[in-house]
């Protein structure tokens, strides 16, 4: 086990400052008493102490660049370094969003082209790159649906249909938009229950939020029937594009009857996640909904007398901005680089390999881990991390995986699978990596029977052992009273 | 708890005249895992069958207390908000959630008895 790392407060040595302030060369004046604190316990360390402390901490991070990271529904694919090189080019990195349009035509061209590419990938008529993340795109889409229904004199539509397998952001966005959630159950094949959907559809329905493939990693087999039923009651179909990595270059969601959909650039299009983000959730729209997209967006205009230029425009009935300026532009540059590098055929190969990798893992692991919806999966699958009679749960299996050098899969989601382990390998992993993961998972399955206590106390090789998540949630302390008063 | 009914949302409903006490079953707390947060409705508020009447968060999931009946909330077990772990320790007794004055006693007819609930979760 690695040594635990002391905090900067514990490493502090009184009188060891990290900076040398210049001598006072202005008249000394007194500071007002009110904001003064009796004591300000800042840690005192040299620059080298601080550098080494954070260097050590950074080396304990686990990312896609350190190892296999099959976090289901997150598409933790490798982010090619060329994306970074392009994004750091001065013409992109050192421009300002308030520069005049004529001085940033290259940036606007990139935005315009990326809008067009995403529209083509999704089969949509128009795309806005504004939303800053997936849930931001969801909220924007719901506000668009509201504006659309209002313009058609239908104020009585207040219910949003959400499958019981949906991402938690779907009901959260619905609630933020001021609508009510109506949950639609799944059937025994892991598809949306068509009968339940049919009986829920009436003139109170705003629309449905549909993820395809759904979070079980399964393609909705009656997707066209679903979208037809929803449309027939005058409601709209929103696609949650989180799982688009299974479909790029193969299926255009618009062909499935989807009116609006967000893309997760930080999933499907290899831009960094989380702390390395930010994210980006561009929104595609079809037909009359295009006018409601958040703006600004960029359009190409032919100049009188020849040539063309790029204009910043707001769609006619736009719901407004969802983000400052043009969305997270540096993320858009990375996406542009990625799509340009792969091309249409490359994106299609990505989807095919993502699905192949997931099915390889599913078939090899299901001898030890029950897969409740046992059919050909798409880019991910869900199995049960539980062994009756042993007391071992999904969380124990996940923690034990850390000892084997792998990032755990998504736990306890979707909620409709008992002790869910949701595994998404992505297309960027090689067969030897997948085989090493399979071997670790099968060894853990063996340990479940032979040495369950090893699992329940895992991880054993990480810098810290099993963290007390219950205490962290029940007894939350955001500041240490011995440091901050 | 001789006159106790059960809902498909894994709640127990103990009937005493026109007032019922509602909590979640032992099966529900086992499925949820360690409960870390409970939010209860206000006393005096009205709840409607099938709609949210509170929030239960565990380390695994956030879920709702779905009202198994309609009526007025006459008392809440506010101790659960300070000590949510009681839901795991004594779910079917001291860790009750709310007491409700029924607005439609016939809603009880649609609930399960203990035998039906046992086979429901089997």
């Amino acid at each position: 086990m690695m040594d635990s790392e002391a905090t900067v407060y514990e490493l502090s040595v009184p009188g060891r400052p990290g900076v040398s302030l210049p001598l006072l060369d202005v008249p000394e004046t007194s500071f007002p008493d009110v904001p003064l604190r009796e004591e300000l316990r800042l840690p005192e360390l040299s620059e080298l102490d601080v550098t080494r402390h954070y260097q050590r901490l950074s080396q304990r991070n686990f990312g896609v660049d350190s190892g296999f990271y099959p976090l289901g529904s997150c598409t933790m694919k490798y982010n090619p370094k060329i994306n970074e090189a392009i994004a750091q080019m001065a013409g992109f990195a050192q421009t300002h969003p308030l520069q005049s349009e004529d001085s940033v035509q290259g940036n606007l061209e990139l935005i315009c082209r990326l809008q067009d590419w995403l529209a083509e990938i999704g089969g949509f008529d128009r795309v806005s790159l504004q939303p800053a993340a997936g849930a931001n795109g969801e909220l924007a889409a719901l506000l668009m649906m509201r504006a659309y229904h209002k313009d058609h004199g239908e104020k009585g539509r207040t219910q949003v249909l959400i499958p019981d397998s949906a991402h938690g952001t779907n009901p959260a966005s619905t609630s933020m938009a001021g609508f009510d959630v109506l949950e639609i159950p799944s059937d025994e094949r892991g598809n949306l229950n068509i009968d339940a959907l049919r009986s829920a559809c009436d003139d109170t329905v705003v629309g449905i939020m549909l993820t395809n493939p759904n979070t079980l990693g399964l393609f909705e087999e009656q997707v066209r029937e679903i979208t037809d039923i929803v449309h027939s009651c005058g409601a709209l179909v929103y696609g949650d594009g989180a799982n688009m990595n299974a479909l790029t270059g193969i299926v255009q969601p618009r062909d499935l009857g989807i009116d609006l959909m967000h893309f997760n650039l930080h999933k499907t299009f290899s831009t960094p996640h989380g702390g390395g983000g930010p994210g980006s959730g561009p929104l595609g729209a079809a037909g009359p909904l295009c006018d409601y997209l958040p703006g600004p967006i960029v359009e190409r205009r032919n100049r009188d007398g020849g040539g063309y230029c790029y204009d910043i425009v707001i769609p006619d009935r736009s719901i407004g901005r969802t983000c400052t300026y043009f969305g997270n532009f540096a993320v858009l540059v990375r996406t542009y680089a990625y799509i340009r590098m792969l091309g249409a055929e490359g994106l299609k190969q990505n989807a095919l390999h993502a699905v192949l990798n997931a099915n390889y893992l599913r078939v090899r692991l299901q001898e030890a881990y029950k897969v409740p919806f046992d059919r050909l999966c798409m880019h991910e699958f869900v199995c049960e991390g539980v062994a009756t009679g042993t007391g071992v749960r999904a969380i124990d299996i996940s923690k034990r995986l850390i000892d084997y050098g792998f990032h755990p899969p998504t736990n306890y989601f979707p909620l409709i699978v008992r002790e869910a382990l949701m595994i998404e390998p992505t297309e960027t992993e090689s067969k030897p990596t997948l085989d090493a993961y399979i071997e670790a998972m099968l060894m853990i399955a063996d340990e479940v029977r032979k040495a369950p206590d090893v699992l329940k106390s895992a991880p054993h090789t990480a810098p810290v052992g099993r963290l007390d998540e219950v205490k962290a949630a029940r007894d939350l302390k955001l500041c240490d009273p011995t440091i901050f008063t | 708890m001789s006159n106790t009914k059960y809902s498909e949302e894994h709640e127990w409903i103990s009937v005493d005249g026109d007032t019922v006490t509602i909590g979640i079953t032992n099966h529900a707390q086992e499925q949820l895992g360690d409960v870390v947060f409970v939010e209860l409705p206000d006393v005096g508020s009205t709840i409607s069958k099938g709609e949210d009447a509170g929030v239960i968060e565990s380390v695994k999931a956030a879920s709702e207390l779905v009202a198994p009946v309609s009526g007025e909330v006459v008392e809440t077990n506010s101790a659960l908000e300070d000590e949510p772990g009681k839901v795991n320790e004594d779910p079917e007794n001291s860790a009750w959630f709310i007491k409700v004055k029924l607005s439609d006693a016939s809603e009880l007819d649609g609930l399960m008895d203990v035998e039906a609930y046992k086979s429901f979760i089997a």
Side-chain angles (χ1 to χ4, degrees):
Chain A
M1 188 187 290
M2 289 186 226
D3 293 333
S4 65
E5 178 73 19
T7 67
V8 283
Y9 290 95
E10 291 162 340
L11 293 170
S12 175
V13 177
R16 185 185 286 174
V19 290
S20 303
L21 295 174
L23 291 174
L24 183 69
D25 59 356
V26 292
E28 192 171 337
T29 57
S30 60
F31 200 74
D33 285 342
V34 178
L36 285 181
R37 276 172 281 193
E38 294 270 318
E39 190 182 23
L40 183 61
R41 282 186 51 196
L42 291 176
E44 295 178 83
L45 294 91
S46 72
E47 184 175 323
L48 179 58
D49 292 336
V50 173
T51 300
R52 286 184 176 157
H53 171 71
Y54 288 106
Q55 182 73 9
R56 285 193 296 267
L57 288 180
S58 74
Q59 287 166 345
R60 293 173 181 191
N61 193 18
F62 189 100
V64 180
D65 288 357
S66 10
F68 186 42
Y69 205 129
L71 195 64
S73 225
C74 294
T75 314
M76 302 299 288
K77 62 169 72 178
Y78 174 64
N79 303 163
K81 296 296 171 257
I82 191 171
N83 294 357
E84 301 304 314
I86 303 288
Q88 284 163 25
M89 288 168 70
F92 297 126
Q94 294 182 25
T95 46
H96 192 280
L98 290 178
Q99 275 181 242
S100 63
E101 290 178 35
D102 64 329
S103 70
V104 287
Q105 284 289 301
N107 291 6
L108 297 184
E109 180 172 0
L110 181 142
I111 289 173
C112 188
R113 284 196 191 186
L114 185 55
Q115 287 170 183
D116 290 346
W117 290 349
L118 291 176
E120 186 181 342
I121 289 166
F124 296 110
D125 300 318
R126 205 176 198 185
V127 165
S128 168
L129 305 180
Q130 268 269 311
N136 196 192
E138 291 177 25
L139 179 63
L142 288 160
L143 296 178
M144 288 170 67
M145 291 190 196
R146 174 164 45 210
Y148 175 85
H149 286 312
K150 191 177 162 204
D151 282 357
H152 288 78
E154 297 205 64
K155 289 184 185 170
R157 294 185 181 270
T158 56
Q159 300 208 81
V160 177
L161 310 181
I162 299 185
D164 61 3
S165 62
H167 293 108
T169 49
N170 290 178
S173 299
T174 299
S175 190
M176 278 193 79
F179 293 130
D180 297 321
V181 173
L182 187 61
E183 186 175 282
I184 308 293
S186 302
D187 67 16
E188 67 284 352
R189 275 184 68 74
N191 290 315
L192 191 72
N193 186 317
I194 293 283
D195 293 334
L197 174 71
R198 199 173 271 118
S199 62
C201 279
D202 57 27
D203 61 3
T204 66
V205 175
V206 177
I208 188 171
M209 298 183 87
L210 189 68
T211 310
N212 189 27
N214 63 31
T215 64
L216 295 164
L218 302 174
F219 194 86
E220 286 287 347
E221 292 170 308
Q222 294 118 330
V223 61
R224 286 307 305 261
E225 197 177 347
I226 291 170
T227 57
D228 285 348
I229 292 169
V230 173
H231 285 145
S232 68
C233 79
L236 298 166
V237 179
Y238 175 73
D240 178 329
N243 292 345
M244 191 63 197
N245 206 44
L247 304 181
T248 46
I250 296 169
V251 175
Q252 287 178 311
R254 175 63 189 148
D255 283 345
L256 306 178
I258 287 168
D259 303 308
L260 284 165
M261 188 189 87
H262 82 260
F263 297 83
N264 290 90
L265 301 188
H266 47 284
K267 296 181 182 181
T268 315
F269 297 98
S270 84
T271 68
H273 276 64
S280 182
L283 193 54
L289 286 163
C290 292
D291 288 343
Y292 297 86
L293 279 169
I297 62 177
V298 174
E299 281 183 355
R300 183 173 140 150
R301 174 169 59 88
N302 289 323
R303 279 200 170 108
D304 296 340
Y308 57 87
C309 63
Y310 292 91
D311 291 336
I312 297 167
V313 299
I314 302 279
D316 289 344
R317 312 187 75 81
S318 175
I319 58 159
R321 289 179 177 277
T322 60
C323 184
T324 52
Y325 302 117
F326 303 97
N328 286 323
F329 178 68
V331 176
L332 306 179
V333 176
R334 289 170 171 86
T335 302
Y336 183 92
Y338 183 72
I339 295 176
R340 196 81 183 84
M341 176 178 73
L342 287 168
E345 184 56 31
L347 290 175
K348 182 179 174 182
Q349 288 299 320
N350 272 4
L352 293 172
H353 283 91
V355 171
L356 180 64
N357 279 358
N359 278 291
Y360 180 65
L361 284 185
R362 176 181 62 85
V363 172
R364 290 286 310 276
L365 290 179
Q366 78 186 139
E367 62 186 85
Y369 299 90
K370 185 184 169 191
V371 176
F373 298 97
D374 184 17
R375 60 178 165 105
L376 206 62
C377 69
M378 298 296 285
H379 65 305
E380 66 189 358
F381 68 100
V382 183
C383 60
E384 291 181 0
V386 63
T388 309
T390 62
V392 170
R393 309 179 80 160
I395 187 87
D396 305 314
I397 291 165
S398 284
K399 295 293 184 190
R400 185 63 174 148
L401 270 167
I402 296 171
D403 289 336
Y404 285 92
F406 297 105
H407 194 284
T410 296
N411 281 207
Y412 300 124
F413 182 80
L415 302 174
I416 54 175
V417 173
R418 191 173 68 130
E419 296 292 319
L421 290 173
M422 185 192 213
I423 301 174
E424 179 182 9
T426 84
E427 72 281 4
T428 55
E429 300 299 334
S430 66
K431 185 167 177 291
T433 300
L434 300 182
D435 286 336
Y437 180 73
I438 290 162
E439 192 180 341
M441 285 291 282
L442 296 180
M443 283 168 76
I444 291 170
D446 205 36
E447 288 175 343
V448 169
R449 289 188 300 275
K450 292 179 182 161
D453 288 342
V454 175
L455 274 72
K456 289 181 199 170
S457 53
H460 303 281
T461 60
V464 292
R466 182 75 66 98
L467 297 173
D468 189 342
E469 293 174 34
V470 177
K471 185 172 170 59
R474 279 185 191 159
D475 194 14
L476 187 64
K477 287 202 179 88
L478 290 175
C479 53
D480 181 346
T482 66
I483 298 168
F484 300 102
T485 51
Chain B
M1 293 203 291
S2 56
N3 195 8
T4 301
K5 305 269 191 179
Y6 296 86
S7 76
E8 291 187 3
E9 306 288 344
H10 306 287
E11 291 138 336
W12 54 263
I13 300 97
S14 173
V15 185
D16 181 11
D18 65 350
T19 303
V20 296
T21 305
I22 300 169
I24 68 168
T25 64
N26 187 52
H27 175 78
Q29 73 79 19
E30 277 178 1
Q31 293 300 307
L32 281 168
D34 292 302
V35 174
V36 296
F37 177 77
V38 169
E39 187 180 285
L40 299 167
D42 293 332
V43 171
S45 63
T46 306
I47 62 170
S48 303
K49 180 178 157 75
E51 296 190 356
D52 299 348
V55 176
I56 312 164
E57 280 184 31
S58 75
V59 287
K60 282 163 62 173
S63 54
E64 288 86 31
L65 181 72
V66 179
V69 291
S70 308
E72 184 193 338
V73 178
V74 292
E75 197 179 341
T76 63
N77 189 359
S78 57
L80 298 186
E81 295 185 326
D82 296 328
E83 291 183 73
K86 285 178 174 239
V87 177
N88 298 110
E89 290 157 18
D90 194 16
E92 302 202 6
N93 205 341
S94 64
W96 57 276
F97 279 65
I98 53 176
K99 293 187 181 181
V100 175
K101 190 165 191 292
L102 295 171
S103 60
D104 179 5
S106 71
E107 285 175 349
L108 295 172
D109 299 340
L111 298 168
M112 289 176 272
D113 63 18
V114 66
E115 292 307 319
Y117 181 68
K118 275 183 186 164
S119 50
F120 177 69
I121 60 174

